Amino acid sequence: MIGTPNNGRLRLAFSLVNGSQDLGPDSTPVSHAGSECGAIEFTREDVEALVSEKMKSKNKFNYKERCENMMEYIKRLRLCIRWFQELEGEYAFEQEKLRSALELTERRCYEMEMALKNKDEEMNLIILELRNSLASLQEQLVKEESEKKAAMDSLVKEKEARDSIERSKASLSEELDKVRAELDSANQRIESINDMYKLLQEYNSSLQIYNSKLQTDVTAAHETIKRGEKERLAAVENLHNLRGEHKSLQDQLTSSIASQDGVMKQKDALLNEVACLRMELHQIKDDRDQYQQQAQSLAVEASKYKELATNSSGLEEKCLSQGNQIQILHDQLAVAERKLQMSDTFALEKRKEFEGQKEIIEELHKCLEDAEFKLIEGEKLRKKLHNTILELKGNIRVFCRVRPQLADDSSSNHGKVFSYPTVMEYLDRSIDMTHNGQKHSFIFDKVFMPDVSQEEVFVEISQLVQSALDGYKVCIFAYGQTGSGKTYTMMGKPGQPDEKGLIPRSLEQIFQTIQALQHQGWRYEMQVSMLEIYNETIRDLLSTNRDSSRFENGVTGKQYMIKHDANGNTQVSDLTIVDVQSSREVSFLLDRAAQSRSVGRTQMNEQSSRSHFVFTMRITGVNESTEQQVQGVLNLIDLAGSERLSKSGSTGDRLKETQAINKSLSSLADVIFALAKKEDHVPFRNSKLTYLLQPCLGGDSKTLMFVNLSPEPSSAGESLCSLRFAARVNACEIGTPRRQLNIRTSNSRFSYG
């Protein structure tokens, strides 16, 4: 506690509110458990105020009060002096450590130079071999071209011969069709002739039969003529004999003819009567059949009438009972009609009441929708005002995320380590941690519990991603120990759309927003680059030259240089920059970069990231209608995990990687401390990581840090260090974010902002 000369009150430092303490050079806070200073820290203004403070008292002759004030002042001075002594000891220790690190780096540089010379000699030999192979390949190419030319000539000749054959084939096919048509017509004619021949043969056979019949008839006619001649002669003889008798018979004949005529007349009359009698008989038979049918039907009806007569008494009784029932039903119907009228009136009343209730419910729904809309707008306004306050304040925003318990974890109860206060003032912003029986409370901009999904996490940063399209520089980086879920937060799980990380979701939002803004006249161009910082060496993850992108003895084929321009932009020389048009292209590049990234296995994580991964997208937008130009940069960074050598069990190359990671994170802590104390010199150049992120940490960028925590009780010490470091980061004040408008740079080099 430091007394200020303005109001004489005691105030707490920001780090004391969050329970944080100074961090040492190894990126872990220095413990003050046995120190009288505790978690108290002093700034230059506090020391000046303490030195220039004057003793004040109501009565200058009240020596007791003056002595008490003097004792309190001396106590604070001793506390400040002791804090300075401890800080001086820490600086001496850090200086000694830096000297040893400098000697180590000098030895490494010498080894790297020797390895580089050897590599240059190897590369020269490879270049000679490649030149020899190039000459032989050129000779082969000439031979192949000559052979190809000869083959092309023969191919042309064969093509011409094939064309002539095709033409002759077409003409022959036409002639063949004509011959086939003529053959078909000839076959039809032959068939018709054969049919006619068959008919003629049949007709000839029939004529022969008819001729034979005529011949037999002729012979028979000759015989009959002969017989007729004989009979005529006999008849002539008989005629002379009969002429005498003719006269007597003629008289008898006339009388018989007369009698025969009478008999014929009587016969005709009798025949007519018989026909009439037959017709009458048929008519009578028909009438008899009809009468029989009528008699049968009448008998059936008579039997029915008899049955009806027997059942009439029962039917009369039924009719009486049914009449009574009908009367009862009429009465019931009248009662039902009266009830129906009453129910109709009641239904009308209920309908009116229902309509009134419906109107009230609709009004309540409208009020509820208005309240929900006001709540949503209020939440948006709160977030906007909160972001505005942070932008005006210039602080780095900090989000805290605790990963869920995994099956491989040693303990399944993470509630013993972390708890989340439910007070409205600190809801979703506070986290409590219990370590060694002590409770530590921290307050951040947002705290995500283990059951929070990737989508809910992205919703909180979606507006920050939108700022990149609006022309701001945006930086989001994940910090935490190994195995705390940093890569999962940034990248997610491959092949599972529901668990995509912040980087894929940010890209989807950017391209969807670009499509939505096209009708407003906005046109955007995007460029992407990806790199990693491995053992304090920059490596291009999108390089197409595999030899230059691989590490051999810790040295790459290219040495990438970081430069800053006057506008606060960062340029990396010889870095691969890719123009992209869709999220699918960027996803392909991310997969390629993930395959090239350096990972390793430790005792703390099966797939541990051994380098700092930096994804950068530069967005340039032009509005054709307003001629407005914006230029934004989105930096998404997955830092390597901090780890203790005693816990990770790293040896050999893993040991060197761990030392390089801890050194870069320690440099990041030094930069944060310098910014928090507002020192004149900020050591950005102590590490490639801090020098690359200089505009994000000390410039006009919107910066957000995710501090990722592991719920394992065995990781509580590292989690506490991460929380304290995050609290110090949240207290840092950087430059106010500035929107880049009306800027069109002619330099095509990529900027990191």
PDB file of all heavy atoms in Angstrom, residues 292-307:
ATOM      1  N   GLN A 292     -99.929 -69.278 -65.039  1.00  0.00           N
ATOM      2  CA  GLN A 292     -99.260 -70.099 -64.029  1.00  0.00           C
ATOM      3  C   GLN A 292     -98.271 -69.269 -63.198  1.00  0.00           C
ATOM      4  O   GLN A 292     -98.197 -69.395 -61.974  1.00  0.00           O
ATOM      5  CB  GLN A 292     -98.536 -71.263 -64.710  1.00  0.00           C
ATOM      6  CG  GLN A 292     -99.466 -72.346 -65.226  1.00  0.00           C
ATOM      7  CD  GLN A 292     -98.719 -73.466 -65.925  1.00  0.00           C
ATOM      8  OE1 GLN A 292     -97.499 -73.363 -66.105  1.00  0.00           O
ATOM      9  NE2 GLN A 292     -99.436 -74.508 -66.333  1.00  0.00           N
ATOM     10  N   GLN A 293     -97.485 -68.392 -63.879  1.00  0.00           N
ATOM     11  CA  GLN A 293     -96.539 -67.529 -63.144  1.00  0.00           C
ATOM     12  C   GLN A 293     -97.281 -66.591 -62.197  1.00  0.00           C
ATOM     13  O   GLN A 293     -96.858 -66.377 -61.058  1.00  0.00           O
ATOM     14  CB  GLN A 293     -95.690 -66.732 -64.138  1.00  0.00           C
ATOM     15  CG  GLN A 293     -94.714 -67.596 -64.934  1.00  0.00           C
ATOM     16  CD  GLN A 293     -93.930 -66.787 -65.954  1.00  0.00           C
ATOM     17  OE1 GLN A 293     -94.168 -65.581 -66.078  1.00  0.00           O
ATOM     18  NE2 GLN A 293     -93.037 -67.468 -66.690  1.00  0.00           N
ATOM     19  N   GLN A 294     -98.411 -66.017 -62.702  1.00  0.00           N
ATOM     20  CA  GLN A 294     -99.187 -65.123 -61.836  1.00  0.00           C
ATOM     21  C   GLN A 294     -99.741 -65.873 -60.633  1.00  0.00           C
ATOM     22  O   GLN A 294     -99.763 -65.359 -59.508  1.00  0.00           O
ATOM     23  CB  GLN A 294    -100.325 -64.489 -62.640  1.00  0.00           C
ATOM     24  CG  GLN A 294     -99.844 -63.464 -63.664  1.00  0.00           C
ATOM     25  CD  GLN A 294    -100.992 -62.891 -64.479  1.00  0.00           C
ATOM     26  OE1 GLN A 294    -102.165 -63.261 -64.249  1.00  0.00           O
ATOM     27  NE2 GLN A 294    -100.652 -62.003 -65.428  1.00  0.00           N
ATOM     28  N   ALA A 295    -100.183 -67.114 -60.886  1.00  0.00           N
ATOM     29  CA  ALA A 295    -100.724 -67.895 -59.776  1.00  0.00           C
ATOM     30  C   ALA A 295     -99.651 -68.170 -58.735  1.00  0.00           C
ATOM     31  O   ALA A 295     -99.889 -68.085 -57.521  1.00  0.00           O
ATOM     32  CB  ALA A 295    -101.298 -69.209 -60.324  1.00  0.00           C
ATOM     33  N   GLN A 296     -98.438 -68.504 -59.205  1.00  0.00           N
ATOM     34  CA  GLN A 296     -97.359 -68.751 -58.254  1.00  0.00           C
ATOM     35  C   GLN A 296     -97.025 -67.502 -57.437  1.00  0.00           C
ATOM     36  O   GLN A 296     -96.841 -67.567 -56.222  1.00  0.00           O
ATOM     37  CB  GLN A 296     -96.114 -69.242 -59.011  1.00  0.00           C
ATOM     38  CG  GLN A 296     -96.267 -70.636 -59.600  1.00  0.00           C
ATOM     39  CD  GLN A 296     -95.043 -71.053 -60.419  1.00  0.00           C
ATOM     40  OE1 GLN A 296     -94.115 -70.259 -60.545  1.00  0.00           O
ATOM     41  NE2 GLN A 296     -95.085 -72.280 -60.956  1.00  0.00           N
ATOM     42  N   SER A 297     -96.928 -66.338 -58.133  1.00  0.00           N
ATOM     43  CA  SER A 297     -96.634 -65.093 -57.404  1.00  0.00           C
ATOM     44  C   SER A 297     -97.739 -64.753 -56.417  1.00  0.00           C
ATOM     45  O   SER A 297     -97.476 -64.295 -55.292  1.00  0.00           O
ATOM     46  CB  SER A 297     -96.423 -63.962 -58.401  1.00  0.00           C
ATOM     47  OG  SER A 297     -97.614 -63.738 -59.144  1.00  0.00           O
ATOM     48  N   LEU A 298     -99.016 -65.006 -56.854  1.00  0.00           N
ATOM     49  CA  LEU A 298    -100.120 -64.738 -55.933  1.00  0.00           C
ATOM     50  C   LEU A 298    -100.066 -65.663 -54.721  1.00  0.00           C
ATOM     51  O   LEU A 298    -100.369 -65.258 -53.597  1.00  0.00           O
ATOM     52  CB  LEU A 298    -101.451 -64.917 -56.671  1.00  0.00           C
ATOM     53  CG  LEU A 298    -101.769 -63.810 -57.707  1.00  0.00           C
ATOM     54  CD1 LEU A 298    -103.007 -64.204 -58.508  1.00  0.00           C
ATOM     55  CD2 LEU A 298    -101.985 -62.473 -57.027  1.00  0.00           C
ATOM     56  N   ALA A 299     -99.635 -66.901 -54.940  1.00  0.00           N
ATOM     57  CA  ALA A 299     -99.515 -67.818 -53.805  1.00  0.00           C
ATOM     58  C   ALA A 299     -98.440 -67.344 -52.832  1.00  0.00           C
ATOM     59  O   ALA A 299     -98.617 -67.399 -51.609  1.00  0.00           O
ATOM     60  CB  ALA A 299     -99.185 -69.218 -54.333  1.00  0.00           C
ATOM     61  N   VAL A 300     -97.327 -66.875 -53.395  1.00  0.00           N
ATOM     62  CA  VAL A 300     -96.259 -66.350 -52.521  1.00  0.00           C
ATOM     63  C   VAL A 300     -96.750 -65.153 -51.725  1.00  0.00           C
ATOM     64  O   VAL A 300     -96.513 -65.020 -50.523  1.00  0.00           O
ATOM     65  CB  VAL A 300     -95.022 -65.992 -53.370  1.00  0.00           C
ATOM     66  CG1 VAL A 300     -93.979 -65.299 -52.500  1.00  0.00           C
ATOM     67  CG2 VAL A 300     -94.420 -67.245 -53.988  1.00  0.00           C
ATOM     68  N   GLU A 301     -97.479 -64.220 -52.410  1.00  0.00           N
ATOM     69  CA  GLU A 301     -97.998 -63.040 -51.720  1.00  0.00           C
ATOM     70  C   GLU A 301     -99.020 -63.431 -50.658  1.00  0.00           C
ATOM     71  O   GLU A 301     -99.067 -62.839 -49.570  1.00  0.00           O
ATOM     72  CB  GLU A 301     -98.627 -62.092 -52.729  1.00  0.00           C
ATOM     73  CG  GLU A 301     -97.593 -61.405 -53.630  1.00  0.00           C
ATOM     74  CD  GLU A 301     -98.257 -60.479 -54.644  1.00  0.00           C
ATOM     75  OE1 GLU A 301     -99.492 -60.425 -54.646  1.00  0.00           O
ATOM     76  OE2 GLU A 301     -97.503 -59.822 -55.405  1.00  0.00           O
ATOM     77  N   ALA A 302     -99.815 -64.466 -50.995  1.00  0.00           N
ATOM     78  CA  ALA A 302    -100.815 -64.902 -50.012  1.00  0.00           C
ATOM     79  C   ALA A 302    -100.126 -65.420 -48.758  1.00  0.00           C
ATOM     80  O   ALA A 302    -100.545 -65.139 -47.623  1.00  0.00           O
ATOM     81  CB  ALA A 302    -101.707 -65.987 -50.625  1.00  0.00           C
ATOM     82  N   SER A 303     -99.042 -66.203 -48.964  1.00  0.00           N
ATOM     83  CA  SER A 303     -98.311 -66.700 -47.791  1.00  0.00           C
ATOM     84  C   SER A 303     -97.714 -65.554 -46.982  1.00  0.00           C
ATOM     85  O   SER A 303     -97.731 -65.577 -45.751  1.00  0.00           O
ATOM     86  CB  SER A 303     -97.224 -67.675 -48.247  1.00  0.00           C
ATOM     87  OG  SER A 303     -96.286 -66.994 -49.070  1.00  0.00           O
ATOM     88  N   LYS A 304     -97.195 -64.514 -47.718  1.00  0.00           N
ATOM     89  CA  LYS A 304     -96.643 -63.347 -47.005  1.00  0.00           C
ATOM     90  C   LYS A 304     -97.735 -62.634 -46.221  1.00  0.00           C
ATOM     91  O   LYS A 304     -97.528 -62.205 -45.081  1.00  0.00           O
ATOM     92  CB  LYS A 304     -95.998 -62.386 -48.007  1.00  0.00           C
ATOM     93  CG  LYS A 304     -94.701 -62.908 -48.598  1.00  0.00           C
ATOM     94  CD  LYS A 304     -94.100 -61.878 -49.539  1.00  0.00           C
ATOM     95  CE  LYS A 304     -92.785 -62.370 -50.133  1.00  0.00           C
ATOM     96  NZ  LYS A 304     -92.193 -61.376 -51.063  1.00  0.00           N
ATOM     97  N   TYR A 305     -98.924 -62.494 -46.882  1.00  0.00           N
ATOM     98  CA  TYR A 305    -100.022 -61.808 -46.190  1.00  0.00           C
ATOM     99  C   TYR A 305    -100.442 -62.565 -44.949  1.00  0.00           C
ATOM    100  O   TYR A 305    -100.782 -61.992 -43.909  1.00  0.00           O
ATOM    101  CB  TYR A 305    -101.201 -61.622 -47.123  1.00  0.00           C
ATOM    102  CG  TYR A 305    -100.985 -60.507 -48.135  1.00  0.00           C
ATOM    103  CD1 TYR A 305    -101.321 -60.691 -49.475  1.00  0.00           C
ATOM    104  CD2 TYR A 305    -100.439 -59.290 -47.735  1.00  0.00           C
ATOM    105  CE1 TYR A 305    -101.115 -59.686 -50.402  1.00  0.00           C
ATOM    106  CE2 TYR A 305    -100.233 -58.285 -48.661  1.00  0.00           C
ATOM    107  CZ  TYR A 305    -100.572 -58.477 -49.989  1.00  0.00           C
ATOM    108  OH  TYR A 305    -100.370 -57.479 -50.895  1.00  0.00           O
ATOM    109  N   LYS A 306    -100.407 -63.926 -45.051  1.00  0.00           N
ATOM    110  CA  LYS A 306    -100.749 -64.717 -43.883  1.00  0.00           C
ATOM    111  C   LYS A 306     -99.748 -64.464 -42.763  1.00  0.00           C
ATOM    112  O   LYS A 306    -100.103 -64.315 -41.599  1.00  0.00           O
ATOM    113  CB  LYS A 306    -100.774 -66.196 -44.262  1.00  0.00           C
ATOM    114  CG  LYS A 306    -101.973 -66.591 -45.114  1.00  0.00           C
ATOM    115  CD  LYS A 306    -101.915 -68.080 -45.451  1.00  0.00           C
ATOM    116  CE  LYS A 306    -103.099 -68.474 -46.327  1.00  0.00           C
ATOM    117  NZ  LYS A 306    -103.086 -69.924 -46.693  1.00  0.00           N
ATOM    118  N   GLU A 307     -98.434 -64.434 -43.117  1.00  0.00           N
ATOM    119  CA  GLU A 307     -97.416 -64.157 -42.096  1.00  0.00           C
ATOM    120  C   GLU A 307     -97.585 -62.767 -41.507  1.00  0.00           C
ATOM    121  O   GLU A 307     -97.431 -62.564 -40.302  1.00  0.00           O
ATOM    122  CB  GLU A 307     -96.024 -64.308 -42.715  1.00  0.00           C
ATOM    123  CG  GLU A 307     -95.682 -65.740 -43.090  1.00  0.00           C
ATOM    124  CD  GLU A 307     -94.320 -65.842 -43.754  1.00  0.00           C
ATOM    125  OE1 GLU A 307     -93.688 -64.775 -43.962  1.00  0.00           O
ATOM    126  OE2 GLU A 307     -93.878 -66.968 -44.074  1.00  0.00           O
TER     127      GLU A 307
END
